[in-house]
Amino acid sequence: MIGYEIFVRSFADSNDDGIGDFKGIAQKADYLKAIGVDLVWLTPHFKSPSYHGYDIIDYFDTNSSFGSLSDFKAMVNTLHEKGIKVVIDLPLNHVSDRHPWFKAAMNGEKPYIDYFLWAQPHFNLSEKRHWDEELLWHNRNGKWYYGVFGGSSPDLNYENPEVVQKSLEIVEFWLNQGVDGFRFDAAKHIYDYDIKEGRFRYDHEKNVAYWKLVMDKARQVKGSDIFAVTEVWDDPEIVDRYAKTIGCSFNFYFTEAIRESMQHGAVYKIVDCFQRTLTKKPYLPSNFTGNHDMHRLASLIQQEEQRKVFFGLLMTTPGVPFIYYGDELGMKGVYDSTFTEDVIEPFPWYASLSGEGQTFWKAIRFNRAFTGVSVEEQLSREGSLLREVIAWTKFRKENEWLTNAWVENVTHNTFVIAYTVTDGNYGFRVYANIAGHNESFEGITLKPYEVKIV
């Protein structure tokens, strides 16, 4: 199984307003199929005031810019007909400050006051997020509320059983609309504030127990054929705790290790990553090229031949590989928490960035016309990254056993990593040279930037 993250606004436009939509995605199902995708993860498609959609006003309705609920269901049906599953992004940690629940809470209405976290005398209202020094507490009309992801995104209070029940209703609703599963956003943030001590602190035990409730509900509605993947950006040992319950987890260390190793010219971090995250585990890892919260692959790994090695590693390792839309073309983008639009630019279907289905909701900064980064240009060029990706996804399809495999016997020199992938019945050994010169290792000769299977 091969996954593909789509930022809905940027992918494909069906009604000539420049904004990507559900019908546009359905119209591009053949492209998704051609590049080997059989599962798409859609970034938030709910009613929301923002371009990114992670601050939700209504969990039971769609963003009208993308289409109606019936348009959504029609898209799901079209993708299902092509053998492609649909997974939706589900941010349950917080809502928009324009959500009716929060508005009612601000007005002092019950039961909604208890849907959110409010400051108590022993809380430190100057406390900041540990990763970027943004404030955790926000003042509005003299009332202080908790919002890890900013004042426009107040956190829900999961100490309240009503909130837990509401979240389960949301899960059930979307499964009944035909979706095949979820990407659980900010999974370790459901319980991340210690009310007794009055400070930020992840409660992994309570978080995992909550996600078990969610998965039990999902299986009750959908059966065992449910796909869920969790976003836990943390040490591999912490990721393991969530992944065992949810079934699959994005392997952030994989992406970081390969990027850094290629930039520094040595495989040591890849080796550490493979030994810590890709050994036999009771869940599926999800290795990926990048996502909407990271620098684009092509902005960090400049040479196309190096990016081909990345895809070679991605498609020869266990689990469910995910491609961030446009990474198969070499789209560029530098992440900035203030200007996140730079990594979610319109998907370039045409060399001129003009034609049927092309989105144009924002000015193009990184992926300009006639720079070689488009489906049209990549398909017409022999040896392009897109053609290489298609070859690798075809290989992956021929070796479906890789989904439930694991890595063992990892060896290396400075520039080459070698590893065996097996599921106990099938297996092969992979040699990958990340250097721009010939290498010889364990009797295997490798060309510059070559991935070889023996």
Side-chain angles (χ1 to χ4, degrees), residues 217-357:
K217 168 59 76 172
R219 292 189 185 100
Q220 178 189 330
V221 176
K222 189 82 174 176
S224 58
D225 188 27
I226 185 89
F227 179 84
V229 59
T230 177
E231 180 214 19
V232 177
W233 205 329
D234 211 316
D235 293 334
E237 294 71 25
I238 299 294
V239 173
D240 283 351
R241 298 173 66 177
Y242 290 81
K244 287 174 186 175
T245 295
I246 292 171
C248 184
S249 184
F250 285 117
N251 186 1
F252 284 88
Y253 192 24
F254 180 93
T255 312
E256 293 165 357
I258 298 177
R259 289 179 176 200
E260 289 182 31
S261 291
M262 287 186 170
Q263 286 176 295
H264 298 148
V267 300
Y268 302 116
K269 198 152 191 176
I270 303 176
V271 171
D272 183 61
C273 167
F274 281 26
Q275 291 174 335
R276 290 175 68 191
T277 68
L278 298 179
T279 55
K280 194 171 186 179
K281 293 182 181 288
Y283 64 87
L284 299 177
S286 180
N287 306 319
F288 61 101
T289 62
N291 68 22
H292 57 277
D293 286 328
M294 307 170 78
H295 298 312
R296 281 252 183 204
L297 181 66
S299 284
L300 291 182
I301 301 177
Q302 301 291 334
Q303 294 186 52
E304 187 175 73
E305 295 306 306
Q306 289 178 297
R307 296 197 294 275
K308 289 178 181 178
V309 175
F310 190 109
F311 275 96
L313 293 168
L314 180 70
M315 294 299 169
T316 57
T317 42
V320 182
F322 264 82
I323 301 169
Y324 183 40
Y325 84 95
D327 278 353
E328 75 274 20
L329 306 176
M331 278 183 73
K332 294 181 173 64
V334 176
Y335 181 79
D336 182 316
S337 59
T338 309
F339 299 103
T340 55
E341 305 100 305
D342 285 349
V343 293
I344 51 177
E345 289 200 337
F347 183 84
W349 292 101
Y350 310 98
S352 64
L353 298 183
S354 178
E356 201 70 33

Side-chain angles (χ1 to χ4, degrees), residues 78-311:
T78 298
L79 292 176
H80 282 173
E81 288 168 7
K82 297 286 185 180
I84 299 172
K85 294 186 175 185
V86 178
V87 168
I88 60 169
D89 210 323
L90 194 54
L92 291 172
N93 162 262
H94 55 271
V95 295
S96 168
D97 62 345
R98 303 184 200 183
H99 194 290
W101 296 346
F102 187 70
K103 287 182 176 181
M106 285 297 294
N107 289 332
E109 297 177 27
K110 287 187 174 293
Y112 302 107
I113 296 173
D114 293 332
Y115 278 32
F116 300 92
L117 292 170
W118 307 95
Q120 297 181 26
H122 65 290
F123 291 178
N124 175 14
L125 301 185
S126 299
E127 187 176 3
K128 296 179 180 180
R129 298 192 303 207
H130 62 85
W131 63 87
D132 67 358
E133 297 297 297
E134 290 289 325
L135 288 166
L136 296 173
W137 291 93
H138 311 277
N139 183 4
R140 186 170 302 183
N141 301 332
K143 298 178 181 179
W144 289 85
Y145 61 94
Y146 184 68
V148 172
F149 297 102
S152 64
S153 300
D155 277 43
L156 289 165
N157 174 22
Y158 278 89
E159 299 289 352
N160 182 348
E162 275 189 52
V163 172
V164 173
Q165 183 56 38
K166 289 289 185 186
S167 71
L168 298 180
E169 290 171 11
I170 294 164
V171 167
E172 182 173 10
F173 176 82
W174 286 103
L175 288 173
N176 286 334
Q177 306 313 306
V179 306
D180 300 285
F182 306 96
R183 178 259 189 186
F184 292 125
D185 178 67
K188 66 179 181 176
H189 285 278
I190 298 297
Y191 297 96
D192 66 8
Y193 194 81
D194 189 321
I195 294 173
K196 187 177 180 182
E197 293 188 19
R199 67 181 180 91
F200 181 93
R201 184 180 69 84
Y202 295 116
D203 192 328
H204 296 301
E205 187 174 335
K206 287 176 75 171
N207 284 328
V208 170
Y210 168 76
W211 290 115
K212 183 180 184 304
L213 274 180
V214 172
M215 292 305 299
D216 287 347
K217 168 59 76 172
R219 292 189 185 100
Q220 178 189 330
V221 176
K222 189 82 174 176
S224 58
D225 188 27
I226 185 89
F227 179 84
V229 59
T230 177
E231 180 214 19
V232 177
W233 205 329
D234 211 316
D235 293 334
E237 294 71 25
I238 299 294
V239 173
D240 283 351
R241 298 173 66 177
Y242 290 81
K244 287 174 186 175
T245 295
I246 292 171
C248 184
S249 184
F250 285 117
N251 186 1
F252 284 88
Y253 192 24
F254 180 93
T255 312
E256 293 165 357
I258 298 177
R259 289 179 176 200
E260 289 182 31
S261 291
M262 287 186 170
Q263 286 176 295
H264 298 148
V267 300
Y268 302 116
K269 198 152 191 176
I270 303 176
V271 171
D272 183 61
C273 167
F274 281 26
Q275 291 174 335
R276 290 175 68 191
T277 68
L278 298 179
T279 55
K280 194 171 186 179
K281 293 182 181 288
Y283 64 87
L284 299 177
S286 180
N287 306 319
F288 61 101
T289 62
N291 68 22
H292 57 277
D293 286 328
M294 307 170 78
H295 298 312
R296 281 252 183 204
L297 181 66
S299 284
L300 291 182
I301 301 177
Q302 301 291 334
Q303 294 186 52
E304 187 175 73
E305 295 306 306
Q306 289 178 297
R307 296 197 294 275
K308 289 178 181 178
V309 175
F310 190 109
F311 275 96

Side-chain angles (χ1 to χ4, degrees), residues 418-430:
Y419 51 97
T420 298
V421 191
T422 180
D423 71 343
N425 295 311
Y426 302 98
F428 52 65
R429 190 153 177 81
V430 182

